[in-house]
Amino acid sequence: MTAPTATIGYWRAIRRVHRLEYPFLIVYPCHGLWGAAYAVASARHLLDAPVLIAVLATMIPPISQNVLNAGQDIRSDSLNPGKSGIAVAARRIGVTALTWWCCVEMGVAVLLAGLVSMWVGRPLVVIAMAVAVVLHLAYNLEPVRLKRRGFFNPFYFMMTFGFLPCLTSYVAAAAGLPGSLWLLCLGFGLLMAGRTLWWAVPDRDADVATGATTPVVRLGASRAWLAACLLTATGIAVLGWGVWLRLGPFWALVVVAATGLFLVDKVRNLARVSDDRLPSERRMRTHSLTVVAVTDTLVWLVPLIASRL
């Protein structure tokens, strides 16, 4: 690993550990926009200063936790062909520097959320952000390290990549906590939990080698893939219910159909996945996550399109 570490540039390494690459550059904004888009009455209100700041703030922790995770997972990433480049980048920067990068970025996110809370007079904005940051740290750092604690792993992703970002940006954009909001947050959260299991399947061998008891290690690749399908299907149903209450049955069907594309792709590959035949991380990122990027974007565009009709 010495040669590649010496040749990678510092800022290229920074970009790599943040995962600022396709298709994540499209997916990250969606986490911040989901809640806000369903809260505003029209697209122009997304440009209101508190909403823009809240959307930006909710995007930061999911990105900065990648930095912390890269430093903590150097050994396992080195054993994973799809993530060895992240390990090289993490070594180039150093674990201590990666930890500082993450802490500063998450601190900025909390400060921005606090500013929005004071601006709109709703403390829940900064409370939800603070809970998300605590979970990000607990996921990556010992002695808690939720990543190694079985099914706390997908629960973490459900809360920090779906439920809490949706709640944060929604509350920044609108007062009140209607029933549809909780269904939307839970639906997005379950979608994230399903994707977590799916995305972790290629890591199985590296996790076994490092002694991590992730859900994929406990269940095996095939059953973990099936569990991801079931979680995703539940998330689609709950999300569709929330959109139905918010916008009506037609737009609920649009959202269910869009998010269902990802599920169809996973079900189609169910019989091909086993402990001896793990999927390619690179192909998943460039092919299946392209579907995710398109559908996630469509889901937050739906309420804005509906408001114009």
Side-chain angles (χ1 to χ4, degrees):
M1 300 300 295
T2 303
T5 304
T7 58
I8 187 172
Y10 183 83
W11 291 108
R12 182 184 173 194
I14 288 293
R15 179 176 60 83
R16 188 73 174 97
V17 296
H18 280 86
R19 307 302 297 270
L20 297 176
E21 57 200 33
Y22 178 83
F24 299 118
L25 285 172
I26 300 173
V27 174
Y28 291 140
C30 295
H31 296 290
L33 285 164
W34 283 333
Y38 282 89
V40 298
S42 65
R44 64 185 177 85
H45 290 300
L46 286 178
L47 300 178
D48 292 347
V51 179
L52 279 176
I53 295 171
V55 169
L56 174 62
T58 56
M59 288 170 53
I60 294 173
I63 298 174
S64 61
Q65 79 82 29
N66 289 330
V67 180
L68 187 60
N69 186 256
Q72 300 299 311
D73 283 0
I74 290 177
R75 183 186 171 201
S76 60
D77 286 348
S78 298
L79 299 172
N80 186 335
K83 294 185 176 180
S84 58
I86 299 174
V88 170
R91 284 195 176 94
R92 171 68 176 84
I93 300 166
V95 175
T96 300
L98 290 170
T99 303
W100 275 108
W101 269 92
C102 173
C103 290
V104 169
E105 289 171 2
M106 290 196 178
V108 169
V110 173
L111 287 174
L112 290 175
L115 173 64
V116 173
S117 277
M118 292 187 291
W119 195 327
V120 300
R122 294 189 279 274
L124 186 55
V125 176
V126 71
I127 292 172
M129 177 63 71
V131 172
V133 167
V134 169
L135 286 173
H136 283 302
L137 297 177
Y139 175 78
N140 286 288
L141 297 177
E142 301 290 357
V144 181
R145 200 85 204 277
L146 294 178
K147 183 171 184 176
R148 298 183 183 274
R149 298 186 181 274
F151 291 93
F152 281 106
N153 188 321
F155 172 79
Y156 153 79
F157 278 95
M158 179 183 81
M159 296 301 294
T160 57
F161 283 73
F163 190 98
L164 290 170
C166 180
L167 179 64
T168 301
S169 63
Y170 185 102
V171 174
L177 302 171
S180 60
L181 165 63
W182 303 110
L183 291 170
L184 292 170
C185 291
L186 181 58
F188 286 125
L190 289 169
L191 288 179
M192 295 304 104
R195 290 178 190 174
T196 300
L197 277 176
W198 164 77
W199 187 246
V201 170
D203 298 343
R204 182 190 177 278
D205 289 347
D207 289 338
V208 170
T210 56
T213 56
T214 63
V216 178
V217 172
R218 292 186 176 190
L219 294 174
S222 180
R223 286 196 295 170
W225 198 275
L226 175 60
C229 292
L230 295 175
L231 278 172
T232 302
T234 304
I236 291 171
V238 174
L239 180 60
W241 186 9
V243 175
W244 187 311
L245 293 179
R246 191 81 183 169
L247 302 174
F250 172 78
W251 295 108
L253 288 174
V254 171
V255 168
V256 167
T259 52
L261 290 174
F262 178 62
L263 177 60
V264 168
D265 182 59
K266 289 200 294 184
V267 171
R268 186 178 58 189
N269 289 285
L270 179 59
R272 305 173 190 171
V273 175
S274 68
D275 291 347
D276 299 323
R277 289 191 303 172
L278 299 177
S280 163
E281 185 269 350
R282 181 180 295 276
R283 184 179 184 280
M284 288 169 62
R285 175 162 54 86
T286 58
H287 172 67
S288 298
L289 278 180
T290 296
V291 177
V292 168
V294 172
T295 58
D296 282 0
T297 302
L298 178 60
V299 168
W300 70 260
L301 285 174
V302 158
L304 306 183
I305 296 170
S307 69
R308 298 296 298 270
L309 299 177

